[in-house]
Amino acid sequence: FSFILIFHKWDVYTPMQWVGLNNFIRLFQDNLFWQAILNTLMFLFIHIPLQIIVALFFAVLLNQKIRARGFFRAAYFMPVIISGVVVSILWQQMFSQETGVLNSLLSVINIPKVPWLNSPEWAMPSIAIMATWKNVGFYIVLFLAGLQTIPGYLYESADIDGATDWQKFRWITLPMINSTMLLVMILSTIGGFSLFIEPYILTGGGPMNSTLSAMLYIYKQAFYFNRMGYAATLGFFFAFMILVVVLVQRKVVEQEY
């Protein structure tokens, strides 16, 4: 049905009208849609490296023999199972420019308040930080699984040779979890392209459309403006973009292994 809608104009209330390829012509002339694509790519550019670094850091810590390790593993995973809407509302309060926890902490050390969600420069990085906190527990689990497959004798040999902790991490840990790293990158990319709840709750796509994601734009075209045919066209085009990215990443994985 969505494929049929691509070639029609339909507002739900009136019969569909055949428009041929007009929806595609409109898509390539829609500057706001391309801005939404760029916003989504900017989110991925911030979110994916941050996600990998934070998840790997805590996975390495939790892979050590520390007190209450089971508690910390469960605590880091807890945000993953909490509703995205609930998490977004909580962070909306934390990001508040006047009464938020983050700006209150900054005020203690005499740093000016940051307009986390009210500035085009800060809004998308703020959403990326929140999304990382929400999802990092899942990737910690993946990295932990990868770390636990590394043979212990490799570290024992490195200790005998006098290797430092950094050398062991650089030359043993990272190469041995390369496949896990690629998996995390692919899953983070797919999840990042589906960015919707966070900007929908936190900013509505503002300020100045700086956090308008591609998914949010498609949603607005369909359910705010009742442009079902055009929304279907945007959806198919965006799905094709994601398919291309996934195929490229798969090609990289196949070449690596």
Side-chain angles (χ1 to χ4, degrees), residues 10-11 26 217 220-223 225-232:
W10 187 46
D11 63 1
R26 178 178 179 179
Y217 183 69
K220 286 186 174 183
Q221 288 296 319
F223 300 107
F225 307 114
N226 291 329
R227 298 167 182 165
M228 294 297 176
Y230 185 53

Side-chain angles (χ1 to χ4, degrees), residues 35 39 115-124 203-212:
Q35 181 179 346
N39 291 342
W116 299 104
L117 300 177
N118 300 323
S119 167
E121 291 77 21
W122 282 100
M124 187 57 83
T203 62
M208 300 175 61
N209 295 316
S210 61
T211 61
L212 181 66

Side-chain angles (χ1 to χ4, degrees), residues 1-249:
F1 182 61
S2 296
F3 181 75
I4 294 174
L5 281 177
I6 289 176
F7 306 101
H8 290 81
K9 177 182 179 181
W10 187 46
D11 63 1
V12 179
Y13 305 106
T14 58
M16 290 189 294
Q17 300 177 15
W18 175 267
V19 295
L21 298 177
N22 286 352
N23 285 326
F24 287 97
I25 296 173
R26 178 178 179 179
L27 182 154
F28 288 106
Q29 297 174 346
D30 190 346
N31 293 330
L32 192 55
F33 175 67
W34 293 110
Q35 181 179 346
I37 294 292
L38 289 177
N39 291 342
T40 304
L41 294 176
M42 179 186 296
F43 171 81
L44 292 173
F45 180 77
I46 300 171
H47 174 63
I48 293 177
L50 184 62
Q51 185 92 274
I52 292 174
I53 293 171
V54 174
L56 182 57
F57 173 77
F58 284 110
V60 171
L61 289 181
L62 294 175
N63 197 44
Q64 309 299 318
K65 294 181 179 180
I66 59 175
R67 185 175 300 176
R69 182 172 59 177
F71 167 78
F72 286 113
R73 287 181 177 179
Y76 285 122
F77 192 77
M78 188 64 67
V80 177
I81 62 177
I82 299 177
S83 167
V85 175
V86 173
V87 171
S88 297
I89 293 174
L90 291 174
W91 276 84
Q92 189 176 46
Q93 302 303 315
M94 294 177 62
F95 281 135
S96 174
Q97 186 170 350
E98 299 301 327
T99 60
V101 174
L102 297 180
N103 278 337
S104 297
L105 294 175
L106 293 178
S107 299
V108 173
I109 54 178
N110 297 321
I111 296 179
K113 294 181 178 179
V114 178
W116 299 104
L117 300 177
N118 300 323
S119 167
E121 291 77 21
W122 282 100
M124 187 57 83
S126 300
I127 290 177
I129 292 172
M130 194 220 76
T132 299
W133 182 88
K134 171 73 170 65
N135 301 313
V136 72
F138 174 71
Y139 299 106
I140 289 175
V141 172
L142 294 181
F143 276 127
L144 273 172
L147 291 171
Q148 291 173 1
T149 62
I150 302 176
Y153 66 82
L154 295 178
Y155 293 108
E156 294 173 0
S157 299
D159 289 332
I160 294 173
D161 292 335
T164 64
D165 290 338
W166 167 250
Q167 289 173 328
K168 288 187 288 186
F169 178 77
R170 172 65 181 85
W171 299 108
I172 298 177
T173 303
L174 285 181
M176 294 297 292
I177 62 169
N178 199 21
S179 58
T180 305
M181 187 81 71
L182 291 171
L183 175 62
V184 169
M185 183 182 67
I186 292 173
L187 294 178
S188 297
T189 301
I190 295 174
F193 271 119
S194 63
L195 178 68
F196 172 75
I197 294 177
E198 293 84 354
Y200 179 77
I201 299 295
L202 293 175
T203 62
M208 300 175 61
N209 295 316
S210 61
T211 61
L212 181 66
S213 67
M215 290 292 292
L216 180 57
Y217 183 69
I218 295 171
Y219 172 82
K220 286 186 174 183
Q221 288 296 319
F223 300 107
Y224 278 30
F225 307 114
N226 291 329
R227 298 167 182 165
M228 294 297 176
Y230 185 53
T233 305
L234 294 175
F236 269 90
F237 181 80
F238 190 53
F240 176 76
M241 287 185 59
I242 298 174
L243 175 63
V244 171
V245 172
V246 171
L247 290 177
V248 170
Q249 290 180 329

